[in-house]
Amino acid sequence: MGLRRQFRRLPPIAWRDARLAELRQSERSLRSQLRELQDGASRDSRDLALELKRAQLQLATVVGERDRAQAILRDPKYTPREPSWHTRVAEQTRVGRYTARRDTEREYPRFRLEEKLHNYELARSYGVPTPRVIGSWPRIEEVAWQELPESFVVKSDRGYSGTGVLPLRRHGDRFRLIDSEDELSVDEIVSRFRQARHVTGPYFVEELLPGTGAVLPDDIKIFAFYGEVADVMVRRVAKHADLASFSYRFLDAEGTDRGQVKERLRHDPGIEVPRDLGQMVEVSRVLSTAVPVPCLRVDLYQVPDGMVLGELTFLPGSSETYTVEHDRLLGRLYDEAESRLNLDFARGRPHAMVFGPHSRDLSAPIDTAGFGAAR
């Protein structure tokens, strides 16, 4: 059996072939009906005219579906012939599982980017503002709740997609989420962290960002490819951890709207361009060249007096939802960034993080003008 025939026997391909055969048969039947209706169109019959219109609409739908299915077979979204961001993310995730099993001493620098406190130190070493850390404890049960301020954020050092992050305000002997009326006891907070997936200590408490009141600030996520910024995703969070309440706007490095480049997200062109976008882009360029990876997502917050780092991520998730064109754009930027990084390795760049010259003290107050003033 030839390779192409074997390929077409795979379930998704075989299903498409069967559907195409069904569509072709349906198209032939509809065309035949149309000819019969057109032959009798001279009769003054309203019912016949309506039936003709319905048949034409049905035919257009069938032909459109057939053409889309054929296009998928001819030019699939992910193909080795074209660069692909999703393919790159999936590849690195797969290889990373093998590396993680062998890296028992946590020597691989890429995995350090999963640690929030490490990333805060890296950012502060370049004068990039980060939240002030009030305290850190090995276990969530050990947090000194009674000694904390009226409002704060409690986090796990490792966690994904908002898990292990709770912005809280004291309310009597309980705590209320910043952006809702929901209240939690200490036991409920502890239980929430225990049950969260992929969350590990230490657990730390940081100051609430300046300007945060009843709502959370927009989350600005910048995709940087070893010194080159591609996307600025501005995410508006109406309610903490409620994905259905999120809305998004994608910009380029200059603040131009990219439109709906990610499918199934609620695109909102009314979300404001961050006031300090230029400085945020420069911060992202600097931090992305400080780490030995082709791509770094730099999460920042716009606050009244400047900006503050949220976190760093080297493999942002949900990569399969980009449009074909944008997936290939990001894939090309990843390929080019990896080639530049490999050449720098050959020229002597260390495989470790490259820290800047400034203090890494996370207990120091937030200096939202730190990056601009330090450079």
Side-chain angles (χ1 to χ4, degrees):
M1 182 182 297
L3 181 61
R4 183 173 178 82
R5 289 181 62 192
Q6 292 184 48
F7 180 70
R8 286 187 171 277
R9 289 184 65 187
L10 295 173
I13 305 301
W15 176 85
R16 288 194 181 101
D17 280 350
R19 181 61 177 146
L20 279 172
E22 178 185 335
L23 289 171
R24 291 190 183 104
Q25 177 59 40
S26 177
E27 182 186 3
R28 285 193 292 269
S29 175
L30 284 168
R31 287 192 186 280
S32 175
Q33 291 179 46
L34 277 174
R35 284 194 297 271
E36 293 177 5
L37 289 169
Q38 288 166 344
D39 290 342
S42 59
R43 290 174 293 166
D44 185 14
S45 170
R46 181 174 300 177
D47 291 341
L48 184 61
L50 289 173
E51 189 176 354
L52 174 58
K53 187 173 182 179
R54 283 196 298 269
Q56 289 172 327
L57 290 173
Q58 187 178 1
L59 176 59
T61 300
V62 170
V63 171
E65 186 177 348
R66 182 204 62 184
D67 290 345
R68 287 192 295 273
Q70 286 177 328
I72 290 171
L73 285 174
R74 288 195 307 269
D75 189 20
K77 184 173 183 179
Y78 309 119
T79 166
R81 296 189 303 274
E82 298 284 351
S84 168
W85 168 243
H86 174 65
T87 300
R88 280 297 206 161
V89 170
E91 173 189 76
Q92 292 302 313
T93 302
R94 186 179 67 248
V95 174
R97 295 192 190 103
Y98 292 97
T99 309
R101 288 201 291 266
R102 291 169 172 80
D103 187 21
T104 57
E105 301 299 322
R106 304 289 292 177
E107 297 170 305
Y108 193 40
R110 182 173 298 199
F111 292 147
R112 295 301 308 277
L113 291 170
E114 298 175 352
E115 301 167 6
K116 296 182 180 71
L117 292 173
H118 166 272
N119 294 339
Y120 280 5
E121 289 189 20
L122 178 66
R124 286 217 172 192
S125 77
Y126 286 95
V128 178
T130 72
R132 182 175 76 88
V133 175
I134 297 169
S136 177
W137 298 265
R139 302 170 62 245
I140 189 64
E141 294 86 354
E142 298 172 1
V143 174
W145 301 102
Q146 297 308 313
E147 300 175 13
L148 299 179
E150 287 301 302
S151 57
F152 56 88
V153 182
V154 58
K155 295 183 176 182
S156 61
D157 197 32
R158 299 180 70 193
Y160 304 92
S161 302
T163 59
V165 177
L166 278 181
L168 300 169
R169 192 183 305 278
R170 194 180 296 278
H171 190 73
D173 60 351
R174 296 170 67 83
F175 297 92
R176 179 173 289 177
L177 290 171
I178 290 296
D179 54 342
S180 77
E181 299 297 314
D182 297 342
E183 291 186 2
L184 299 169
S185 66
V186 169
D187 288 342
E188 288 170 331
I189 295 171
V190 169
S191 176
R192 180 176 291 204
F193 275 95
R194 281 176 175 170
Q195 295 173 13
R197 297 183 59 198
H198 308 300
V199 166
T200 59
Y203 298 86
F204 63 98
V205 170
E206 66 185 34
E207 282 187 334
L208 200 66
L209 293 175
T212 301
V215 296
L216 298 171
D218 289 342
D219 193 2
I220 297 112
K221 300 177 181 294
I222 300 182
F223 290 72
F225 293 84
Y226 199 56
E228 182 176 353
V229 168
D231 282 350
V232 178
M233 183 179 80
V234 187
R235 185 179 72 177
R236 180 152 293 173
V237 179
K239 184 176 181 181
H240 176 70
D242 180 6
L243 296 179
S245 74
F246 294 1
S247 58
Y248 302 79
R249 186 182 184 190
F250 280 83
L251 312 168
D252 65 14
E254 285 72 44
T256 302
D257 197 308
R258 286 195 178 277
Q260 183 89 42
V261 298
K262 207 167 189 186
E263 300 157 348
R264 300 198 298 273
L265 291 186
R266 186 146 55 95
H267 175 63
D268 182 2
I271 297 176
E272 300 82 4
V273 175
R275 188 188 66 239
D276 293 327
L277 178 62
Q279 192 178 58
M280 292 176 170
V281 167
E282 181 61 19
V283 161
S284 302
R285 288 189 178 119
V286 169
L287 292 180
S288 71
T289 55
V291 299
V293 297
C295 176
L296 185 72
R297 196 188 73 195
V298 182
D299 295 2
L300 298 156
Y301 295 102
Q302 178 75 72
V303 294
D305 296 329
M307 63 174 180
V308 178
L309 182 82
E311 62 182 32
L312 304 176
T313 305
F314 69 91
L315 278 182
S318 65
S319 55
E320 74 282 358
T321 60
Y322 284 102
T323 62
V324 174
E325 296 79 12
H326 208 66
D327 173 73
R328 290 177 182 174
L329 169 64
L330 298 183
R332 177 178 60 78
L333 292 173
Y334 190 106
D335 291 351
E336 292 173 355
E338 186 175 61
S339 69
R340 295 196 304 273
L341 178 60
N342 287 337
L343 283 173
D344 281 356
F345 284 147
R347 294 164 180 162
R349 187 211 192 280
H351 284 256
M353 307 292 174
V354 178
F355 283 83
H358 300 278
S359 170
R360 307 184 200 176
D361 181 10
L362 302 183
S363 64
I366 299 175
D367 179 9
T368 55
F371 180 76
R375 295 181 66 79

